[in-house]
Amino acid sequence: MALSKTSKIWLIILAIPIVLLVVGVIAAKIYFTSDRLKALIIPQIEDATHRRVAVNNISLSVFPSIAISVDGLTISNREGTRFERDEFLSLDNLTLDVKLLPLISSKVEVNEVVLNHPRVYLEVTKTGEKNFSEKRARNEGVAAGKEKQTMSGEFLLANLHINDGELQFTNKQFDSRIRITGLNQRAKSEAGGGSNTLSIQGTTAIDKFSYGTLTAWYIGDQPLTASSRLTYKIDSDLLTLEDVSGTLKELPFTVTGTVSQLKQETAMMNLVVNSSGAKMEQLLSLVPPAMLKKARGLQSSGTVQFNATIKGPSSDTIDPATTASFTVMDGKVQYASLPKSIDHITLVGSFEKPSAPVDAKGIGTFTIEKFSASLGTSDLSGKLRMTNFKDPVISATFIGAVNLGEVHDYYPLEEGSEFSGIMKANVALDGKAKTPETIRANGSIAFQDVTIKSASSSKPLRNLNGVITFNNQVVESKQLAMKIGESDMNLAFSLRNYLGMVVKDTTKSAAKPAATVKLTSHQLRTSDLTSEKPSVEQSSEKGKSAPKQGGLLPGFDIAADVAIDKLVTEKFTFDNARGFLTASNGIVNLRNFSVNAFQGSITTKGMLDMRDEAKRPFDLDLNINNVESNALLPNFTSFGNFIFGKLTMSTKLKGDLNDTLGLDPQTLGGDGLAKLFDGKLAGFPLLEKLSSFTGLPELHEVNFKNWANAFSISNGRLNVKGLKVNAGQTDFLMEGSQGLDGTLDYSLTVKLPGEVSNRLNLQGVAGDLLQFLKDKDGRINLAFQVGGAASNPTLRLDTQAQQDMAKKALEQKGTEAKQKLEDELKKKAEEGLKKLFKRP
């Protein structure tokens, strides 16, 4: 049926608003371009937040609802602040969907807000400044006259979706951090039937939740799921958590309570977090594997109860009070790879922190009221109380009796480790952890046939027996016996002021740590007490320098009375080592320290500096008595292998020991007096040259009655003065020096018996001229200059010395025979001498 004219007019009138609306929508789409929307919206956000805002793109849709889509939104931290990151918030996309018709009634009904991959970075600096605090921004806005009034009308958020969110919270002031990745949240809110009540329901799923300090995670990458039902009363500004429950990995929890004054600068918290009836395995599932060694396959049982209350004011400047309690009853832990479980685990504790300003430091108390556990026949128990977390004050006791041989059945030890024996401890501590000198301590540790070997140690500590007692002033033992490698030791010691060993500021300690020790040993090997040298591979790994070889000295003063039957160093073995020594700051002082060595005895006193492991300076007085020269001297000289006999020597020596406790010859200096008795020189290259020079084969090997000389050592040379060797009818006199590198520079006089005249073969010298080389005792005197090296010496006659000797003989003959020698004989002799002295 055709419409009447009147009907057509009304249809046209009614269509006018629709046409206008469509035209308006088209005009809005054309006018509100991305750039215009940025110009309108970004300044408003920057004014409200006092932060820089950047957006890649903004688009608008108006049907069937008004929707704004924002791509690449970034909000920076406030200007003038220094945080680790420039960004406060960034996201890939934000979609805001607002219902169109309620806007006519000044109602903002947000149909849906979708945040895709938002990333939030929260930070508290060491000085307590927060990048998320709006107090400063609010004050800045008021000062600039920009504080806005809240929007009139009603605001209602219907649906909130967060997809793949991330959050990082770093608190440098209190050394804590939180990291959340893979956050997915769905929340829906509804008005309660025209009342001023808002109901909010939602679900949260987090792929990875981590909590810990700035350097270590206590909870690492654990999944968390939760569902919530909240009620917010707008008029009374009260948020009620009616039902919040979830699981952190396997540990269930609930949160109930209220938060009031949300619109105020300071909110009031009254929340209870509870994990009632949880199981031991659920609690242990949160602990990072690194903190539970070889936790894979860990089985546990027992009941866990946790309850925490958060109550009081909460704002940028004040924190609410927190109280918590926890218990573990009838706990049991067993590693799947091991045959036995740790049983009867009981843990009762609590934590308290009062409401206080956020910058308050050190407040709070942590208490373990009871701890106990059993490992087979071993029982452990203790308790702990700690207050003032900034400068912790601890009060703790520990009592335990452990069969170390059973530990491997309960706890996975590192491969190659070895423990056995019984260890009992009863320890009590009370004082400030950061100032050990204030701690009141007492207790005892007893060892019975204990063996301890780590995977990296080649020489285990074995057969440890004895009791160590301690209090604030002293650690001591009447008798502590042990074996390390092939060494055995029996110690009686008293270590006073031992807390000074852990006090960085020595001025705060009562006195420097010092010990008195009585050490007895059947055998002590220095290699057993030093660490192994690193291998070539270890020292060159990644270009790192190799660690130094461990030293022999402890890090405190020591006065020791030593009695060692056999002392073995890398190069020498000493018997019956006896004496008294002190050690302070790496320097050892010996007092009449004696050893039997080299078939004789050595007594010494002086100083040995052990501070530098590559160079150990010494300054010693040595008295060497009746040692076998051929056993001692080859270790220090190039000629020692050719000398035999009993050596007695008194000397003062300075120099360095190398890293094997052997002598570094180039640093040696000193002086002394040496005597040898009933010895011989055999295979000595100098004698072989002398035998060849004179044609006397008996000089190849010389037996002597006594040998005496003074000597000094300096600049790498042994200086000999007044050396005299009495070999029966033959004497050797020597002056000069020998380098520690073997070079020779000597003046040698050999006094031969007169009867060798007919066998002495000096080329170019007539036999009748030898009478002019004889002294008053009728012995032939030959003077030589010795050079070259000890292994291949050079020998030549000292012409000046021989000429002087011959002239003296001529004078004696002229006096005794009253000029019976005729001028002809003198002339002949003089001509012969000239020939003699011309020979090379």
Side-chain angles (χ1 to χ4, degrees), residues 1-4 7-8:
M1 184 178 75
L3 294 173
S4 66
S7 298
K8 290 180 179 179

Side-chain angles (χ1 to χ4, degrees), residues 121-195:
Y121 306 104
L122 309 178
E123 183 180 347
V124 180
T125 66
K126 289 184 177 180
T127 59
E129 187 171 8
K130 303 178 178 68
N131 73 334
F132 53 87
S133 173
E134 294 303 319
K135 182 177 180 181
R136 173 177 170 179
R138 188 181 300 114
N139 292 340
E140 291 171 350
V142 172
K146 298 180 180 179
E147 182 75 347
K148 301 291 191 297
Q149 298 295 324
T150 58
M151 183 180 68
S152 60
E154 297 182 17
F155 178 88
L156 181 62
L157 173 62
N159 294 286
L160 172 66
H161 293 180
I162 299 176
N163 300 319
D164 193 22
E166 296 181 18
L167 182 144
Q168 291 188 28
F169 174 43
T170 302
N171 191 329
K172 295 181 179 179
Q173 187 178 26
F174 297 111
D175 187 29
S176 64
R177 57 176 171 161
I178 295 173
R179 183 178 67 195
I180 293 174
T181 58
L183 169 63
N184 294 279
Q185 188 169 15
R186 302 289 183 270
K188 181 178 182 181
S189 59
E190 296 178 345
S195 67

Side-chain angles (χ1 to χ4, degrees), residues 206 209 219-225 246-253 281-287 289:
I206 295 174
F209 173 83
I219 298 175
D221 294 338
Q222 302 291 3
L224 183 150
T225 60
T247 58
L248 179 57
K249 196 172 183 180
E250 300 174 10
L251 183 69
F253 65 88
E281 58 267 26
Q282 296 170 332
L283 177 63
L284 292 178
S285 70
L286 303 180
V287 181

Side-chain angles (χ1 to χ4, degrees), residues 467-631:
V467 179
I468 297 175
T469 61
F470 66 92
N471 56 36
N472 272 46
Q473 291 76 36
V474 62
V475 177
E476 62 182 352
S477 177
K478 303 298 182 183
Q479 183 177 14
L480 194 66
M482 69 194 76
K483 291 183 178 180
I484 303 176
E486 299 180 34
S487 302
D488 65 87
M489 291 183 288
N490 198 310
L491 296 172
F493 69 89
S494 176
L495 174 59
R496 298 188 174 277
N497 306 309
Y498 65 93
L499 291 174
M501 297 171 62
V502 293
V503 177
K504 294 182 179 179
D505 187 354
T506 56
T507 61
K508 293 182 179 180
S509 61
K512 187 177 181 180
T516 57
V517 178
K518 184 174 183 180
L519 167 66
T520 58
S521 172
H522 295 296
Q523 176 174 261
L524 185 64
R525 303 175 67 92
T526 58
S527 61
D528 291 336
L529 306 183
T530 57
S531 62
E532 296 294 325
K533 290 186 178 180
S535 65
V536 175
E537 292 81 1
Q538 289 175 323
S539 61
S540 59
E541 181 183 359
K542 296 182 181 181
K544 296 181 179 179
S545 59
K548 288 186 177 181
Q549 182 185 11
L552 298 174
L553 299 181
F556 50 84
D557 290 354
I558 186 170
D561 189 357
V562 177
I564 304 171
D565 294 339
K566 186 177 183 179
L567 176 61
V568 183
T569 69
E570 185 167 334
K571 291 188 175 181
F572 305 115
T573 298
F574 306 109
D575 294 323
N576 197 30
R578 299 288 188 272
F580 185 80
L581 62 87
T582 61
S584 178
N585 298 322
I587 297 177
V588 178
N589 284 287
L590 303 172
R591 302 179 187 175
N592 296 323
F593 195 86
S594 64
V595 295
N596 293 339
F598 312 113
Q599 304 176 33
S601 64
I602 301 174
T603 302
T604 183
K605 62 180 180 179
M607 179 277 298
L608 175 61
D609 189 340
M610 304 286 284
R611 289 174 295 183
D612 188 340
E613 295 178 354
K615 180 185 71 173
R616 296 181 169 98
F618 64 88
D619 185 354
L620 301 174
D621 289 354
L622 285 170
N623 286 303
I624 300 173
N625 185 42
N626 213 32
V627 303
E628 177 51 57
S629 58
N630 193 252

Side-chain angles (χ1 to χ4, degrees), residues 406-477:
E406 295 180 344
V407 171
H408 67 278
D409 290 334
Y410 300 90
Y411 186 78
L413 302 176
E414 188 176 358
E415 186 176 355
S417 299
E418 178 185 346
F419 296 90
S420 65
I422 304 296
M423 185 172 69
K424 298 180 180 179
N426 189 335
V427 177
L429 302 172
D430 190 0
K432 291 186 176 182
K434 290 185 178 180
T435 52
E437 69 273 15
T438 68
I439 294 178
R440 296 180 296 277
N442 65 81
S444 64
I445 303 175
F447 305 94
Q448 180 180 340
D449 294 327
V450 168
T451 292
I452 300 174
K453 180 184 181 299
S454 68
S456 59
S457 63
S458 59
K459 298 163 186 174
L461 174 68
R462 299 179 289 112
N463 300 116
L464 177 61
N465 286 279
V467 179
I468 297 175
T469 61
F470 66 92
N471 56 36
N472 272 46
Q473 291 76 36
V474 62
V475 177
E476 62 182 352
S477 177

Side-chain angles (χ1 to χ4, degrees), residues 715-767:
N715 301 320
R717 299 194 71 82
L718 172 65
N719 303 295
V720 176
K721 184 177 181 180
L723 185 149
K724 183 177 181 180
V725 179
N726 182 1
Q729 296 182 10
T730 300
D731 287 338
F732 298 87
L733 306 177
M734 184 177 285
E735 298 273 351
S737 68
Q738 176 171 336
L740 298 179
D741 59 357
T743 59
L744 306 177
D745 185 10
Y746 285 115
S747 296
L748 172 64
T749 299
V750 181
K751 293 188 175 186
L752 300 171
E755 56 267 25
V756 303
S757 299
N758 59 340
R759 295 188 293 113
L760 186 61
N761 183 16
L762 295 175
Q763 296 180 6
V765 179

